[in-house]
Amino acid sequence: MKQNILKKKIIKIFKNHKLSTSHALICANALINAELVDAPTHGLSRLKMYCDRINKKVINPKPKIKIKKISQSICHVDANNSIGFVAADVGIKQAIKNAKKTGIGVVGIKNSGHYGLSGYYAEQAVRKNLIAFCFTNAPPAIAPHGARKSLFGTNPICFGAPTSSKVPFILDTSVSVINRGKIRVAARTGKKIPKGVALDKLGKPTTDAKKALEGVQLPIAGFRGSGFAWMVDILSGVLTGGNHAGRVKDPFDDFSGPQNIGHLFIVIKPNLFVGNYNQRIKENIKRIKRLPKIKGVKEILYPGQSKSRRYKINLKKVINLPKNILEDLKKLDA
Ligand SMILES: NC(=O)c1ccc[n+]([C@@H]2O[C@H](COP(=O)([O-])OP(=O)(O)OC[C@H]3O[C@@H](n4cnc5c(N)ncnc54)[C@H](O)[C@@H]3O)[C@@H](O)[C@H]2O)c1
């Protein structure tokens, strides 16, 4: 489907679900961006879920978002159970504003929902020549190291930095071996998942996606990944007033109340300590890229580089949506 037609459709659907035009636009842009960076698990495949949550009154389509100023650098946002895209948009814009003014902007957000891709928000700061950390927690998927029950979300860690070129450094990674969206898609399409990414509910390794969803996902790098997931739960949940310790509700399966997800955005000016950041980052990347490569590798990429290439190519194409999502769109647009 042509991107402009798809965008209009999404805006109309969200407006029919009582979002304002500006909030509907924020959501449409975020969903289309996910498709363009080849992350369909965070794109249109979630549109029905967001609408279902609005219909069941666990996402507030007309939030009264409050921004409490704690200092020139620090703000606390109560998103009033808004859709996550809107809460995150308010939060990152505020963090950018504070960082420009004081050198650092720290914004904690509570009462939010699933906000999609962390990198999308980090990119907004990097485009303004700022460094950004973005954290969000998510519903239980990973068992803490040594536990048989999942509690941490796939809690992505995201770091973005200007590179002195048009392509930003964006490290944006879940702390699970693969992200949960990929397992959901495999479960829906009856495909197997790779070995070593999940255990079934009895604690046995499984390649069956449905069993994996009932069981636990494995963190990256064993207890280290479990530690990262815990860190993100502290930063985005404990610190902000959001849900934490396994209380974030699954957006697809649990309509018993709002998710109250927490996010934390930390934005920094790159010239806080040195005046020649641009020159230093250029040299840093150049030295790494010049290293001798292992067999089969043509180029050493920095995080964000391949995504940026895919985005540029996809921007010129129509967005291909699977049949089930086209059906969802048709029903929601009726
Ligand atoms: N909102 C949520 O609750 C939530 C939860 C989990 C994940 N997510 C999002 O899902 C998205 C996907 O996460 P993921 O873990 O599947 O990411 P991924 O495995 O696709 O990529 C992880 C990182 O590795 C980098 N990378 C990939 N190939 C590379 C290469 N050849 N050389 C160097 N770096 C390379 C990417 O740029 C990226 O920064 C992220 O945007 C994340 O924010 C969101």
Side-chain angles (χ1 to χ4, degrees):
M1 190 179 298
K2 279 189 178 165
Q3 288 169 39
N4 57 345
I5 294 176
L6 182 59
K7 191 162 163 175
K8 276 188 194 152
K9 264 190 201 299
I10 304 172
I11 291 174
K12 187 174 160 223
I13 289 169
F14 276 122
K15 282 177 73 176
N16 287 346
H17 285 78
K18 302 196 192 99
L19 263 73
S20 66
T21 308
S22 61
H23 285 181
L25 177 64
I26 289 168
C27 299
N29 283 339
L31 288 174
I32 288 179
N33 173 73
E35 297 290 337
L36 294 179
V37 297
D38 285 343
T41 53
H42 287 71
L44 272 292
S45 62
R46 290 186 183 242
L47 179 62
K48 182 177 176 302
M49 174 273 284
Y50 293 119
C51 294
D52 287 347
R53 292 193 76 76
I54 296 169
N55 291 339
K56 299 256 164 83
K57 300 196 176 357
V58 290
I59 285 180
N60 179 357
K62 298 257 181 241
K64 290 197 168 60
I65 298 179
K66 286 193 195 122
I67 306 175
K68 184 175 161 196
K69 185 172 160 188
I70 294 169
S71 74
Q72 294 276 82
S73 301
I74 308 166
C75 291
H76 193 195
V77 175
D78 181 342
N80 193 214
N81 301 320
S82 82
I83 195 163
F85 300 127
V86 170
D89 186 78
V90 168
I92 195 67
K93 288 199 165 77
Q94 188 66 49
I96 290 171
K97 200 168 149 192
N98 294 3
K100 278 188 170 170
K101 219 185 278 171
T102 70
I104 181 162
V106 181
V107 173
I109 305 171
K110 65 175 179 177
N111 290 321
S112 181
H114 183 269
Y115 75 16
L117 309 173
S118 292
Y120 183 60
Y121 307 101
E123 273 165 26
Q124 294 185 34
V126 176
R127 271 202 296 273
K128 309 265 178 195
N129 204 30
L130 296 160
I131 286 173
F133 290 93
C134 302
F135 302 102
T136 182
N137 58 7
I142 296 177
H145 188 68
R148 201 150 47 91
K149 194 171 175 334
S150 60
L151 183 141
F152 299 131
T154 49
N155 296 0
I157 293 180
C158 178
F159 168 79
T163 56
S164 187
S165 81
K166 279 190 186 145
V167 181
F169 180 109
I170 305 280
L171 174 69
D172 180 18
T173 176
S174 335
V175 292
S176 49
V177 182
I178 62 171
N179 78 51
R180 196 164 186 78
K182 286 182 186 160
I183 301 184
R184 279 189 200 286
V185 171
R188 224 178 26 233
T189 52
K191 290 204 176 118
K192 292 244 176 272
I193 54 168
K195 276 184 193 156
V197 310
L199 308 177
D200 66 17
K201 62 181 176 195
L202 300 171
K204 282 197 193 135
T206 184
T207 55
D208 181 315
K210 282 190 182 145
K211 286 187 182 164
L213 289 175
E214 288 162 8
V216 299
Q217 282 184 248
L218 294 172
I220 48 169
F223 63 84
R224 296 176 182 87
S226 168
F228 281 135
W230 204 331
M231 175 190 86
V232 175
D233 201 38
I234 294 169
L235 288 173
S236 45
V238 178
L239 198 68
T240 62
N243 270 339
H244 61 96
R247 291 189 202 92
V248 169
K249 293 180 201 299
D250 190 294
F252 290 93
D253 305 329
D254 188 344
F255 294 88
S256 61
Q259 286 190 290
N260 184 14
I261 286 182
H263 319 303
L264 182 74
F265 296 140
I266 304 172
V267 176
I268 312 170
K269 267 190 185 166
N271 61 355
L272 280 187
F273 310 110
V274 291
N276 57 345
Y277 170 86
N278 282 350
Q279 189 191 325
R280 292 170 66 79
I281 189 76
K282 238 193 225 169
E283 189 209 332
N284 175 286
I285 293 171
K286 204 155 117 191
R287 280 180 71 101
I288 293 165
K289 281 191 170 277
R290 272 197 196 142
L291 288 175
K293 292 152 202 63
I294 55 174
K295 209 175 158 199
V297 172
K298 280 198 191 123
E299 184 188 354
I300 296 173
L301 297 170
Y302 57 78
Q305 233 184 331
S306 56
K307 194 172 82 175
S308 166
R309 286 178 190 171
R310 290 199 301 272
Y311 178 85
K312 263 193 206 147
I313 295 169
N314 290 341
L315 203 55
K316 293 181 197 140
K317 295 202 237 162
V318 294
I319 295 178
N320 284 320
L321 296 167
K323 211 172 137 209
N324 63 324
I325 293 175
L326 286 171
E327 279 163 14
D328 281 355
L329 262 176
K330 213 172 177 182
K331 279 185 208 151
L332 290 165
D333 193 21

